[in-house]
Amino acid sequence: MGEQVKKWLAGQMEGNNISVEVVADVLGIPLENLCVGTGRFLDADDFLRICAYLHIRPENIPMDS
């Protein structure tokens, strides 16, 4: 997933007082893949696991913002 989606997810985590580090650790995703500006991307599996962890429906994420 692109940087825009990672920014949106980071905002959701921050709004719910959940750190990116905790999500990365719990889900076993490299932190670099979650952080904005690293040049690393989330694959679809990791994206869906993050959505499930945060109780977010993927189709409700604004992909064009």
Side-chain angles (χ1 to χ4, degrees):
M1 298 289 124
E3 292 292 303
Q4 295 169 338
V5 173
K6 289 192 327 185
K7 284 180 189 177
W8 191 88
L9 287 170
Q12 295 301 303
M13 289 181 225
E14 183 178 326
N16 289 299
N17 297 315
I18 302 170
S19 74
V20 176
E21 292 84 5
V22 168
V23 173
D25 186 50
V26 168
L27 298 178
I29 298 170
L31 184 59
E32 298 81 26
N33 293 9
L34 291 174
C35 293
V36 177
T38 61
R40 303 278 302 266
F41 293 99
L42 283 174
D43 63 27
D45 182 54
D46 290 342
F47 168 71
L48 292 174
R49 290 180 23 206
I50 293 166
C51 289
Y53 183 79
L54 298 174
H55 304 287
I56 295 171
R57 294 179 60 101
E59 62 269 18
N60 293 337
I61 296 175
M63 297 287 199
D64 59 340
S65 58

